[in-house]
Amino acid sequence: MKKIRSQVTIAIDGPAGSGKSTVARRVAEKLGLLYLDSGAMYRAVTVLAIRGELTTDSPELLEQVKACHIQFKDNGKTILLNAEDVSHQIRTPAVNRRVADVAKIPEIRHEIVKHQQRIGGEGSIIAEGRDLTTIVFPNADFKFYLDASVTERAKRRLAEFRRQNVEITLAAVEAEISDRDEKDKTRAHSPLRTADDAIVVDTTDKTINEVVDFIIARVSEDKSTSEK
Ligand code: C5P
């Protein structure tokens, strides 16, 4: 395992299916960093909205968000919502359809961002999502923006659904992620955008390992973070 010196924060943003989660998890394993899947937190909150049949802007939902406990286990593989394992439930098509509407509510984002910054203060971290390079960790040591064509991203998501035995067509997945891209990029609060100081990586024709190696090379070549 490569080691990097002192506390380091790596932030990655990008649209659904750009490879952020898989890449960040592998970099975390290789460099011994904490992995923060920020989208999982918005997904967990969406589970609260669906279960309670609450509208995204309802005061009840905000109260539940303020009171809930979201925890990660196994370096991000398992997510607990009020001690219940919701790791599978947060990945369902129903949550996919709803999550961007929940995530656009500023008061909800405020709560989630506070939580993310607390986690970030605990040590070296690699965090990924939509506003990690711009809002959550604007002073991150390294910033990356991962992107890929919408068709390639839809194919990757379809493969994930197949592995989970979820019946869905490529066209439906493509429509869902295009809709989510549009909502995430055009919302008034913390929209998905490329930070001025982020390194942009088009992953369309790259393997996961190529992107992982690229990020590790950038982090390791920086003398200030390499272990002496
Ligand atoms: O990354 P993932 O696809 O799991 O994120 C699900 C949704 O959560 C995104 O489409 C977006 O609406 C929201 N999100 C966000 N800010 C983040 C991470 C995710 O608004 N930092």
Side-chain angles (χ1 to χ4, degrees):
M1 186 193 288
K2 276 189 198 252
K3 281 260 165 58
I4 44 178
R5 189 164 62 96
S6 68
Q7 184 159 336
V8 71
T9 302
I10 305 174
I12 306 181
D13 283 323
S18 55
K20 302 180 307 283
S21 311
T22 316
V23 165
R25 193 187 299 281
R26 282 200 201 165
V27 173
E29 279 163 11
K30 290 194 174 204
L31 297 182
L33 307 174
L34 187 70
Y35 164 55
L36 174 64
D37 173 357
S38 70
M41 299 174 78
Y42 291 98
R43 289 172 175 276
V45 165
T46 305
V47 169
L48 290 176
I50 293 173
R51 283 187 183 166
E53 297 181 6
L54 301 170
T55 56
T56 55
D57 57 356
S58 66
E60 293 95 315
L61 180 59
L62 184 59
E63 284 315 306
Q64 289 196 19
V65 172
K66 285 183 177 168
C68 77
H69 289 284
I70 299 176
Q71 295 161 284
F72 289 100
K73 278 197 343 198
D74 314 325
N75 214 13
K77 286 196 190 75
T78 305
I79 178 161
L80 303 178
L81 172 65
N82 297 327
E84 176 191 347
D85 184 348
V86 291
S87 316
H88 294 293
Q89 206 165 346
I90 62 167
R91 308 277 166 207
T92 56
V95 171
N96 286 343
R97 278 194 297 275
R98 212 58 209 288
V99 60
D101 291 322
V102 173
K104 74 177 186 210
I105 307 295
E107 293 80 5
I108 291 182
R109 299 199 71 81
H110 180 73
E111 291 303 314
I112 302 277
V113 168
K114 268 197 305 193
H115 193 160
Q116 292 164 349
Q117 289 173 334
R118 259 198 313 272
I119 295 174
E122 286 167 12
S124 289
I125 190 170
I126 181 162
E128 52 87 7
R130 304 295 187 289
D131 61 346
L132 278 301
T133 59
T134 54
I135 305 289
V136 185
F137 301 120
N139 299 321
D141 303 289
F142 298 93
K143 298 183 181 183
F144 297 91
Y145 186 94
L146 303 194
D147 210 346
S149 72
V150 70
T151 308
E152 174 60 25
R153 293 189 285 121
K155 283 184 186 158
R156 292 173 186 170
R157 275 290 142 96
L158 185 69
E160 278 173 34
F161 281 129
R162 294 249 159 93
R163 281 195 290 275
Q164 298 159 9
N165 294 319
V166 174
E167 288 279 329
I168 192 160
T169 64
L170 180 63
V173 177
E174 197 166 321
E176 182 269 306
I177 61 175
S178 298
D179 180 55
R180 204 140 55 91
D181 283 358
E182 179 67 16
K183 286 180 178 164
D184 290 344
K185 288 180 178 173
T186 59
R187 70 183 173 215
H189 206 278
S190 312
L192 170 63
R193 65 175 188 85
T194 313
D196 296 337
D197 49 353
I199 299 168
V200 178
V201 186
D202 185 341
T203 70
T204 307
D205 298 314
K206 289 189 173 60
T207 64
I208 293 291
N209 281 339
E210 282 170 339
V211 184
V212 168
D213 290 347
F214 174 80
I215 291 180
I216 290 180
R218 294 307 291 247
V219 173
S220 308
E221 82 195 9
D222 185 287
K223 302 248 178 329
S224 63
T225 53
S226 298
E227 197 177 50
K228 298 226 167 100

